[in-house]
Structures are given as C-alpha cells and as structure tokens.
Amino acid sequence: MLKPLSGKVITVIGSSGYVGSNVIKNALQYGAIVNGVSRSGQPTTQQNWTREVNWIKGDAMKAHEFKDILQKSDIVIHTIGTLIDSSVLNNKKPGDQGTYEQMNRDTALNVVKELINTNVKFVYVSGSAHPPFLKRYLTTKQEVEQHILSLYQQQQLNPIIVRPGFIYSLTQRWWSVPLKYDLAIWKCVHDNASRLIPQQSFIGKIFNEFKVDTSIDLQDVVDACLAPLKIDLIGKSLNNQEMEKVAQQFRNLQ
C-alpha cells in the first residue's frame, strides 16, 4: 500500500477516544508521524501500533504546555467531546469539568490559541445533531465553529470542520450497525411527520428534540479528518455526504 502521508506530522487531541484512536491507527498506516495527546498519555494496554506513537500526557485546557508539538505539526485534529455531560450526570454547573462547555468547547479553544498565525491545519470534529433535550451538546460545538471560521476570515487560522452524524463501525462497535438502520427508519418517519406538525407548536418543539441526521461509517470520518493533508479543504464545513465524498477522494489518491 502506498503511504500518502509519509513524513507528515499529525497531532491528535483526544487520542484515547473512539474517533481519536482510530485517526491515529489509520494515520500510521498512511505513513504519518503521529503525536497522541490525552490526559492519560500512553495507553496501559500496548499493541503494535501504540508503540509507533509519540504519546503526550497533556491537558487540552493547558495547551500552552505542549505548544511546540502543536506548532510543529502539519495538522492538529481535535476529537475531544462528550455526549452526556457532567451537569446532567453529576449535577455540575455548565462550564465545570466534564461539561459540554469544558469538553466540547473550551478544550478546542485553548488548542486554537496556540495555532493562531501559524501554517498548521486545524480539524475540529463537531456534530450535526444533539441528543434529545440536550441542545448544549451542539451549541457549544457551534460556538467553536463560529470562532474558528472568524479566525479563518481574518487569515489567522486554517480550519476544517467535520460534522458527523451517528458514527457506526462493524469492526469497532458491531452493535452500532443495527442502530444505524433504526436511526435511518426514524429519520424517514420524523422528516415526513414534521411536515404535518406546526413547528412552533408545543408538540412540534418537543418532536424536533428527536431529530436525527444520517449515519456515517467510522472510516469515512477518519479519512475526512486526514484528507486536508492532501486535498484543499481549508475553511470548509463538511456534512456526512461531503465527508463521504472527500474520504473516497482521499482513498483514491493511494
């Protein structure tokens, strides 16, 4: 297999997570030099691929502590996020440790500070929908989107935004595949029923809390995150369909 990313330096923020760890594994296969940043640092369970990574024990809220790593990268990919935050689970206030404001927003903003006025590309893994009655999951991500696009307009940052829906994978999470089909059926039902329900009515507002997007394969998300190293995507915001197209275009380069 060709190594399309040979010599490229990639730093993944949130390297221990579902998306982050898979970005790392694929980047290594593509020949990249990879830095993995997480609060835990090196995984306790070692595998062949983990030995090839430069593991950095770091807190994204203190990104200045590893800014040299960030600024020497060709691309930084931010994958930190939480679906259900600590204000829901542990009765914490918005902005506290583990909340949407801290995990989805502030970790990204602190990394971005260290990339302003550099040539480093910054990929932000956002989202396309929110869990029912938990709008802050999406609004905090949208705050990051607005900020980094504003910096792009000022020519101070090279951002790329990906907005995946539900991410499924037969090899990583087999149970996500049947759920993908359940969500597809619900999306069809919801989209059709929404045309009949007044959007501003009480029922309409409740019904819209259960709106879902199409699902996307984990491999397409991963390759869309890596594609900006070979395809000009700076300033772009990619939905599921656009990510699938870009991912395939990237794979065709191999």
Side-chain angles (χ1 to χ4, degrees):
M1 186 176 88
L2 295 177
K3 303 290 187 180
L5 301 183
S6 181
K8 297 294 185 181
V9 180
I10 296 170
T11 298
V12 177
I13 310 296
S15 56
S16 61
Y18 178 43
V19 174
S21 60
N22 280 281
V23 168
I24 288 176
K25 285 188 280 187
N26 281 264
L28 291 171
Q29 292 175 4
Y30 295 145
I33 300 165
V34 183
N35 303 309
V37 180
S38 71
R39 295 180 70 187
S40 56
Q42 184 170 317
T44 53
T45 302
Q46 291 293 301
Q47 301 179 48
N48 289 335
W49 67 270
T50 62
R51 297 182 178 90
E52 301 178 48
V53 181
N54 175 31
W55 297 106
I56 300 163
K57 188 174 183 179
D59 185 346
M61 295 294 291
K62 302 175 182 177
H64 62 278
E65 294 180 353
F66 49 90
K67 68 177 182 180
D68 288 345
I69 295 290
L70 296 172
Q71 294 174 358
K72 291 178 182 178
S73 304
D74 291 296
I75 192 168
V76 172
I77 304 172
H78 182 281
T79 67
I80 297 175
T82 183
L83 189 63
I84 307 296
D85 81 348
S86 59
S87 68
V88 176
L89 297 176
N90 300 317
N91 197 33
K92 290 191 176 182
K93 295 179 180 179
D96 287 349
Q97 178 71 35
T99 60
Y100 292 132
E101 288 77 13
Q102 191 259 347
M103 295 284 286
N104 294 358
R105 184 190 67 195
D106 295 346
T107 57
L109 296 182
N110 277 277
V111 170
V112 165
K113 284 181 185 178
E114 308 306 326
L115 299 178
I116 292 176
N117 295 324
T118 69
N119 292 321
V120 182
K121 296 179 175 69
F122 177 71
V123 175
Y124 180 62
V125 180
S126 186
S128 62
H130 62 81
F133 308 107
L134 295 174
K135 290 183 179 180
R136 284 171 40 243
Y137 167 81
L138 191 58
T139 57
T140 50
K141 286 180 174 289
Q142 290 170 339
E143 287 180 52
V144 177
E145 291 189 24
Q146 292 167 7
H147 180 67
I148 63 179
L149 289 176
S150 174
L151 290 173
Y152 167 67
Q153 291 169 357
Q154 298 171 48
Q155 299 183 331
Q156 293 182 309
L157 190 71
N158 300 314
I160 302 94
I161 297 167
V162 296
R163 296 182 181 132
F166 175 71
I167 302 173
Y168 66 90
S169 171
L170 179 61
T171 57
Q172 298 287 313
R173 294 179 175 178
W174 65 266
W175 50 264
S176 64
V177 176
L179 184 54
K180 161 197 169 183
Y181 293 108
D182 291 340
L183 289 172
I185 293 170
W186 172 247
K187 184 178 188 306
C188 183
V189 171
H190 188 281
D191 289 352
N192 284 284
S194 293
R195 299 189 184 100
L196 306 175
I197 301 173
Q199 295 299 295
Q200 297 304 313
S201 68
F202 175 77
I203 294 177
K205 291 178 180 178
I206 295 295
F207 192 65
N208 280 333
E209 289 292 329
F210 295 88
K211 183 178 180 179
V212 298
D213 191 10
T214 55
S215 301
I216 185 168
D217 190 283
L218 174 64
Q219 189 63 53
D220 287 329
V221 176
V222 167
D223 285 341
C225 287
L226 295 170
L229 285 167
K230 302 295 289 187
I231 303 169
D232 184 10
L233 296 169
I234 294 175
K236 303 289 186 182
S237 300
L238 307 177
N239 61 27
N240 283 341
Q241 291 74 25
E242 292 164 336
M243 290 169 65
E244 290 168 351
K245 182 178 179 180
V246 164
Q248 187 57 57
Q249 185 180 353
F250 173 72
R251 289 190 286 267
N252 288 342
L253 297 174
Q254 301 176 50

